[in-house]
Amino acid sequence: MKEGKEVELSIASRKIDSASFEQLVRPHLAMAYRTACLIIRDRQLAQDAVQEALVEVYQSLERFDPERGRSFRAWFAKIVTHRALNAVRRFKPVDEYQEWPDESTNPLDSVIEREEQQQIWKAICGMKVKHRAVVILFYYGDFSVAEIAEMLGVFQGTVKSRLHHARKQIAAELRGQDETPDLLKIGVSAND
C-alpha cells in the first residue's frame, strides 16, 4: 500500500503520469464497473459510464484533496455513481432480470438460494433509481451511510430513509406481497 500512498501524494502535488494514474485507479475498476452495472442494469452503458468517469477523474485530479480525509476510492465512486445515474436518466434500461457473473459463486449453489437472489435482484430492479443507487452503494459497494450521503449530495438521514424503504420493498418481494400503498402504485408520493 506504500505505493498507493505515494501516488496519492503525487496527486496532491498534481504531478501524475499515465502509469501512475493507472496504478491509482486499477484497484478500484472492478468496484466501479460493478457499481455502474448494478445502477444502470446494462453492461455496455456501464462500461461507457466508467469510461466517462475515468476521463473526468484524470482531467479533474486537482479537485481531489486527500487532506480533506476523503479516500480516492470514495471520490472515484462518487464520480462513477453520478455518471451511472446520468446514463439512467438518458436511457431506459432493460427491466428484465439479468444474471451477473460472480466469480465467488459455486455451481453447486442450491436452487432455493438462487431463486431468492433472483427475487432480491428483481426487487432492486423495480425500485426507483434513487433507492436502487443507495442499496447498491451500501450493500455492493461497501460504502458507509456518510460516504453515500456525500457522494449523492444528500443528508445522511435521507440515505437511511432510502435504505429503510428499499429493505421494506425487498422484504415484501421475498414474501410475495405488495405492501405498496395504493397512492404509491399510481405514482403519488407524499415525500418525493
Side-chain angles (χ1 to χ4, degrees):
M1 260 336 208
K2 184 179 176 185
E3 291 176 2
K5 277 293 184 196
E6 289 173 7
V7 172
E8 285 193 22
L9 291 175
S10 171
I11 289 174
S13 65
R14 307 300 174 238
K15 297 175 185 172
I16 189 165
D17 58 25
S18 60
S20 297
F21 181 73
E22 182 179 347
Q23 179 185 357
L24 180 66
V25 298
R26 182 170 296 282
H28 310 293
L29 287 177
M31 173 276 304
Y33 179 68
R34 183 175 185 168
T35 299
C37 275
L38 292 171
I39 291 173
I40 300 171
R41 300 181 312 195
D42 181 289
R43 291 180 179 158
Q44 185 62 43
L45 292 176
Q47 288 175 348
D48 293 346
V50 172
Q51 186 67 32
E52 288 174 19
L54 286 168
V55 170
E56 183 176 340
V57 165
Y58 189 77
Q59 291 175 343
S60 60
L61 282 173
E62 70 277 355
R63 290 189 318 190
F64 174 68
D65 185 8
E67 301 298 320
R68 288 183 39 202
R70 185 194 294 175
S71 70
F72 178 79
R73 177 181 180 267
W75 184 70
F76 181 44
K78 176 182 180 176
I79 293 171
V80 169
T81 300
H82 284 276
R83 294 307 128 246
L85 291 171
N86 286 345
V88 168
R89 289 182 196 108
R90 285 192 308 256
F91 304 101
K92 293 282 185 189
V94 178
D95 286 334
E96 64 191 51
Y97 173 78
Q98 294 181 7
E99 190 172 331
W100 301 99
D102 186 2
E103 293 80 28
S104 66
T105 59
N106 183 341
L108 302 176
D109 284 340
S110 72
V111 172
I112 295 171
E113 182 180 330
R114 196 156 182 76
E115 177 65 28
E116 186 174 275
Q117 289 172 355
Q118 288 180 342
Q119 287 178 329
I120 291 171
W121 183 245
K122 182 179 176 188
I124 291 171
C125 288
M127 293 176 185
K128 290 181 181 179
V129 70
K130 65 184 182 180
H131 295 108
R132 186 170 63 238
V134 170
V135 167
I136 289 165
L137 290 170
F138 187 78
Y139 289 106
Y140 295 95
D142 247 359
F143 289 100
S144 70
V145 169
E147 289 173 318
I148 296 169
E150 185 178 339
M151 284 179 204
L152 299 178
V154 298
F155 295 111
Q156 289 184 31
T158 302
V159 172
K160 291 176 184 178
S161 172
R162 290 177 183 177
L163 278 171
H164 176 74
H165 177 81
R167 287 181 192 122
K168 282 178 59 176
Q169 193 171 346
I170 291 169
E173 182 73 28
L174 291 176
R175 282 192 304 272
Q177 301 172 356
D178 185 9
E179 294 182 354
T180 309
D182 288 337
L183 288 177
L184 291 179
K185 288 180 187 175
I186 59 173
V188 177
S189 176
N191 295 328
D192 274 300

